[in-house]
Amino acid sequence: MLGYLPQDFGVYPRVSAYDMLEHMAVLKGVTSRSERRETVEALLNQVNLWNVRGRPLPGSLAECASASASRKH
């Protein structure tokens, strides 16, 4: 599996990791709410962002969350 993350990935400054990943899952065509929840929770756990899932992310953590989204194909 290969994911792509541009250097400037344009994350809104007050969006939480959970909301950002859920939105990206919708964009990738995950229509089932339960499947999105499972996917987002798994990705947050994989990149150790579960504990900060509801908070706006600073730059480096937003980059980490975006990288995790590129892992889901």
Side-chain angles (χ1 to χ4, degrees):
M1 171 186 349
L2 177 66
Y4 170 74
L5 178 65
Q7 188 162 350
D8 181 20
F9 48 92
V11 174
Y12 291 105
R14 290 180 288 245
V15 173
S16 70
Y18 190 96
D19 290 341
M20 182 182 71
L21 290 175
E22 183 175 37
H23 178 69
M24 289 183 172
V26 169
L27 294 176
K28 290 186 174 202
V30 182
T31 57
S32 165
R33 186 178 203 127
S34 62
E35 185 181 350
R36 275 198 315 269
R37 186 181 63 244
E38 288 177 22
T39 300
V40 168
E41 289 177 1
L43 288 171
L44 288 169
N45 279 309
Q46 284 177 3
V47 295
N48 295 320
L49 290 177
W50 180 255
N51 292 334
V52 294
R53 67 190 175 277
R55 289 188 247 155
L57 297 174
S60 60
L61 291 180
E63 186 174 330
C64 186
S66 294
S68 73
S70 70
R71 297 171 75 182
K72 174 68 180 146
H73 60 289

